[in-house]
Amino acid sequence: MNKKFHFLDDGGEMGRLMREKDWSLTPLGEPNGWPQSLRITLNIMLNSPFPMFLFWGNTLKSFYNDAYRPILGDDGKHPKILGLNGKEAWSESWSDVEPMLKIVTEKGESIWKENLMVPIFRNGQMEDVYWTFSYSPVKDEAGCVSGVLVIVTDTTEAVLAERRLKESERRFREVANLSPVWIWITDNEINIQYSNRALLEYVGVENESDFTGQVWIDVVHPDDLDIVFKGFGKAVEDESGFTLEYRVKRKETGNYEWFKVLGAPKFEEGKMVGFIGTAMNIDKQKSFSDHLKKEVDIRTRELADSNDKLEAMNKELQSFAYISSHDLQEPLRKIQMFSEVLMENEFDKLSTSGKVKFEKIQSAANRMQSLINDLLSYSRTDTEKRVFEIVDLKDVITDVKNDLGDELNHKHGKITLLKSCKIEVVPFQFRQLMYNLLSNSIKYAKSDVSPEIIIDTAIVKNAKSIDSSLKNKKEYVQITITDNGIGFDEQFAEKIFEVFQRLHSRQEYVGTGIGLAIVKKIVQNHFGVISATGKLNEGSVFVIVMPKAQ
C-alpha cells in the first residue's frame, strides 16, 4: 500500500487493519484509486469516538471504526467482515437491513430508528440486539449516493433494564393492590403520585388518576391536618422517616377512623424527590388503647390507695419492730431473770411437777427470745442502710469460726476453706449470711459423725447460664458450702428458704425456721442467687452466686 494516503494513518486497530489489508484482491482496488468521498468519509469515521459503520459502493462493502468494534463482540464477525459485501457480512439480518439501505441509496433519504431489534451473530451465537441508529447517504463528487454511513448505539442493556423496571413496577402494583395496608407515594409537596387499591377503596375513588395531588386533604380530619403538614415538613427538613397518627374519613360510612402512617424519604441521584409509605387502620386498637388508658387510670388510683395502705402497714411494722426490740423484750427478760432466780433459790422446794413446769417456762422464754432476735434480723436486712466494702472471704470465715468455736469443739467439727477471694459486700450482712449457713451445717450434723464443712470459691463469667436474672457482662463469685450432715429431700430445696419452714421437729433440732430465709434475703440484697441440693443422710450443698464487685 502506498503510505502517502494519510486518511488511513490513524484510527487505532481498524486503521491498522485497513492499512494491512491487500485491497488489490477486492473490486475496490488499491486505496490510491479510491474516490475522494470514500477517503474523506473513512478519515472522519476512523477518528470519531462514536460507533460508525460504512456501507460503500454497489455491493455495499463494509467498513467500521474502533468505537464500533465492541458491538461485534468476540468470536463473531470481526475482523473478517472488513471489506465484505453487505449481504455476505450481514446474512443473518439482511432481510431487516436491506430495505432500510434501499431507502437511503435509492431515494437519498436519511432514516432514524430507536431501540430496533435486529439479531446478529456475535460471541459465538445469535443474539437479539437492540439498536438506536441513523442511516445517512454519502454522496460522491457527482452528487450520487455511493455509500451509507451508519451512526449506531447498542441499546440492548438499556431496553432490557427498562423492561425489567416495567416488570418490577407491574409486580409492585400487583402486590400492592393485594395488600390490605395502604401503600402510597408522594412528591416533596405531598402530592400523591401513587395509591394502592386498599386506599382508593377506603376513600371511595374508582380510578387512581382521580386521587392525585393533594386530594387527600379532603379526607383527613380537619383537626389533624396540622399534624400531617408538620410531620411531613419536619421529615423534609431532617430528611428522615416519620410515624404519624391521624383520622381519615371512610367514604362508605362517613366516619373518621384512626390510621398509623409510616413514611420514608425517596431519593434519586442523592436528591430527595418525595416520600413512600404505608398506613394501617388502628381504630380498634386506638379505641382499646383509650379504654385501656381509662382502666390504667383507675388501677393507678387503686394502686396509689394500696401504696398509702402499704405505707401505713410499713409504719405499723416499724412500730412492731420497735415493740419487738424494746417493749416485748423487756418483760421477756424479766420472765427469764425471775425464772433463773426461782430455779437457783427455790428449785429444791418445788415438786417434781413444778420443776418440769419451770424448765418448760425457761425453754419457752428462750425460744421466744431467739424468735424475736431472728425476726428483727430478717426485717433489718431490708431496712438497714447498705454500705458495700471489699472484704476477704478468709477473714470472714475466720471470724465466724471463732464465734462457732464451742459448737465445733463440742461436735469435733471442722471447717475448711479451699480457696479464698475478695468480694464487695455489706460486711455485717455477709458475715451473718456465712454464720447462718455454717451454724446450720453444724446444727444438722449426724449424731454419730463429726461435721465436716468445705467452702470453695470460683469466678463465674457466664452467670446467665446459672440464672436468667444474672448478667453475663458482670463478673460473679460462686461460693459453694458442702457438709456431711443429715441432708434433706430434694423436693424441699426451695421450701427451706421460706420463713418459718422447718423440715424437722423442734424436739429434734432447735431453731426458729428463719435462719435460711435471712440468708436468701441477704443474697438478694447483694443482687445474687442461692440454691441448695441435698440427699438424705448424705449431706447438703449450698451454692451462692454474687457479683464480685457492685
Side-chain angles (χ1 to χ4, degrees):
M1 184 185 72
N2 192 333
K3 296 292 184 181
K4 70 179 180 179
F5 298 105
H6 300 295
F7 68 93
L8 295 178
D9 283 353
D10 302 315
E13 178 191 6
M14 294 313 300
R16 177 179 58 80
L17 290 175
M18 290 182 193
R19 291 192 300 271
E20 294 175 354
K21 185 175 180 66
D22 188 355
W23 291 100
S24 64
L25 302 178
T26 71
L28 283 174
E30 291 289 349
N32 59 357
W34 291 359
Q36 187 67 20
S37 54
L38 174 58
R39 298 181 189 183
I40 293 172
T41 304
L42 285 177
N43 183 257
I44 292 171
M45 185 179 73
L46 288 173
N47 289 281
S48 174
F50 291 97
M52 292 184 178
F53 192 97
L54 177 64
F55 291 99
W56 186 262
N58 294 331
T59 57
L60 300 171
K61 300 293 184 183
S62 299
F63 296 88
Y64 53 97
N65 63 1
D66 276 5
Y68 186 90
R69 163 68 188 89
I71 289 176
L72 297 173
D74 298 319
D75 189 20
K77 299 178 180 296
H78 177 75
K80 60 189 177 186
I81 66 167
L82 179 62
L84 281 183
N85 295 341
K87 184 175 181 179
E88 185 180 358
W90 299 96
S91 57
E92 73 275 22
S93 54
W94 192 244
S95 59
D96 295 312
V97 174
E98 185 183 26
M100 293 185 288
L101 288 172
K102 282 186 175 181
I103 293 174
V104 181
T105 57
E106 294 178 2
K107 297 181 180 181
E109 299 176 1
S110 296
I111 62 172
W112 180 82
K113 299 289 183 181
E114 183 178 19
N115 298 327
L116 180 67
M117 197 277 285
V118 179
I120 70 167
F121 182 82
R122 67 180 183 184
N123 302 318
Q125 61 184 358
M126 286 296 298
E127 294 184 9
D128 291 337
V129 183
Y130 290 85
W131 314 88
T132 292
F133 58 88
S134 66
Y135 280 12
S136 303
V138 178
K139 297 182 179 181
D140 60 16
E141 291 76 3
C144 299
V145 176
S146 298
V148 178
L149 179 63
V150 183
I151 299 176
V152 63
T153 301
D154 181 347
T155 58
T156 305
E157 282 301 316
V159 170
L160 295 180
E162 185 178 1
R163 285 185 178 179
R164 288 192 294 268
L165 183 61
K166 286 182 178 179
E167 176 63 16
S168 176
E169 183 179 350
R170 185 192 66 79
R171 290 180 180 177
F172 165 77
R173 287 175 176 270
E174 196 173 83
V175 172
N177 284 330
L178 291 173
S179 172
V181 175
W182 292 359
I183 299 173
W184 49 265
I185 300 173
T186 74
D187 63 13
N188 269 348
E189 301 299 323
I190 329 179
N191 294 303
I192 294 177
Q193 297 174 327
Y194 169 77
S195 51
N196 71 334
R197 180 52 51 189
L199 172 53
L200 295 176
E201 288 177 353
Y202 183 88
V203 297
V205 175
E206 182 65 28
N207 301 312
E208 183 184 333
S209 58
D210 296 329
F211 195 68
T212 57
Q214 293 193 346
V215 178
W216 57 268
I217 291 177
D218 298 331
V219 295
V220 172
H221 196 289
D223 294 344
D224 296 341
L225 285 173
D226 193 47
I227 295 173
V228 179
F229 283 114
K230 284 183 177 178
F232 275 84
K234 190 174 188 309
V236 171
E237 182 180 340
D238 298 342
E239 294 188 357
S240 64
F242 62 86
T243 300
L244 302 174
E245 291 184 5
Y246 53 83
R247 291 161 289 180
V248 182
K249 183 190 290 185
R250 181 187 286 272
K251 176 69 174 179
E252 186 179 355
T253 63
N255 297 328
Y256 287 95
E257 296 177 4
W258 283 97
F259 279 81
K260 186 172 188 176
V261 180
L262 285 76
K266 188 161 59 90
F267 292 90
E268 290 181 6
E269 298 179 354
K271 181 181 178 182
M272 194 172 82
V273 295
F275 289 91
I276 184 169
T278 62
M280 180 181 294
N281 192 318
I282 59 167
D283 199 64
K284 290 182 180 178
Q285 296 93 313
K286 194 79 172 177
S287 299
F288 176 76
S289 178
D290 292 341
H291 175 72
L292 185 62
K293 185 177 182 299
K294 292 178 182 177
E295 290 291 326
V296 169
D297 289 341
I298 294 171
R299 297 294 177 267
T300 301
R301 288 195 294 272
E302 292 176 351
L303 183 60
D305 293 340
S306 298
N307 285 339
D308 292 340
K309 292 177 182 178
L310 184 60
E311 187 174 344
M313 291 174 64
N314 283 335
K315 289 180 179 178
E316 289 180 7
L317 285 173
Q318 290 175 2
S319 299
F320 169 75
Y322 179 82
I323 292 170
S324 298
S325 59
H326 295 87
D327 298 353
L328 284 178
Q329 293 201 62
E330 182 56 30
L332 181 60
R333 280 194 291 271
K334 288 182 178 179
I335 292 172
Q336 289 174 314
M337 181 185 70
F338 286 122
S339 294
E340 288 177 4
V341 171
L342 286 172
M343 290 291 284
E344 288 178 5
N345 299 332
E346 306 294 335
F347 188 75
D348 293 337
K349 297 177 183 180
L350 296 173
S351 65
T352 302
S353 176
K355 290 177 181 178
V356 171
K357 287 182 176 63
F358 265 102
E359 286 175 349
K360 287 186 177 180
I361 289 172
Q362 278 192 315
S363 176
N366 290 336
R367 286 200 310 274
M368 187 173 181
Q369 181 69 60
S370 296
L371 180 58
I372 290 172
N373 290 338
D374 283 350
L375 281 170
L376 286 171
S377 296
Y378 186 77
S379 64
R380 284 171 182 161
T381 55
D382 273 338
T383 58
E384 289 180 327
K385 186 178 180 182
R386 302 173 197 171
V387 179
F388 289 90
E389 297 177 14
I390 296 175
V391 301
D392 195 318
L393 180 61
K394 176 181 63 179
D395 297 336
V396 177
I397 298 300
T398 300
D399 191 21
V400 172
K401 282 170 67 175
N402 290 334
D403 284 354
L404 295 172
D406 291 340
E407 296 174 59
L408 280 171
N409 292 334
H410 177 71
K411 293 192 176 184
H412 306 291
K414 183 180 180 182
I415 298 175
T416 303
L417 176 62
L418 298 179
K419 184 166 57 179
S420 183
C421 69
K422 290 186 177 181
I423 184 171
E424 190 174 7
V425 295
V426 179
F428 75 90
Q429 285 193 8
F430 187 68
R431 182 191 178 284
Q432 185 175 17
L433 182 154
M434 299 309 299
Y435 180 90
N436 285 12
L437 285 175
L438 296 178
S439 64
N440 201 67
S441 291
I442 296 171
K443 182 195 301 182
Y444 293 104
K446 297 176 185 176
S447 58
D448 56 344
V449 178
S450 298
E452 288 191 10
I453 306 166
I454 298 173
I455 307 168
D456 199 7
T457 64
I459 299 298
V460 177
K461 293 186 177 179
N462 57 338
K464 209 168 187 67
S465 63
I466 298 174
D467 191 280
S468 60
S469 65
L470 305 180
K471 302 175 182 177
N472 279 340
K473 293 182 179 180
K474 204 170 185 69
E475 192 173 56
Y476 288 79
V477 173
Q478 180 174 293
I479 303 172
T480 306
I481 300 174
T482 307
D483 65 47
N484 63 341
I486 62 172
F488 60 86
D489 195 314
E490 198 67 38
Q491 65 178 308
F492 300 116
E494 292 293 332
K495 188 177 180 181
I496 60 175
F497 292 108
E498 298 175 9
V499 178
F500 299 128
Q501 294 299 323
R502 300 173 56 89
L503 302 186
H504 308 86
S505 68
R506 189 177 290 109
Q507 288 70 31
E508 293 178 284
Y509 299 96
V510 296
T512 60
I514 301 178
L516 289 181
I518 294 173
V519 165
K520 184 174 182 178
K521 189 169 282 290
I522 291 173
V523 171
Q524 289 173 340
N525 287 347
H526 287 76
F527 310 104
V529 294
I530 184 169
S531 61
T533 55
K535 288 187 178 180
L536 284 174
N537 299 316
E538 291 188 21
S540 305
V541 178
F542 288 85
V543 179
I544 304 164
V545 181
M546 291 166 51
K548 191 174 190 299
Q550 298 293 333

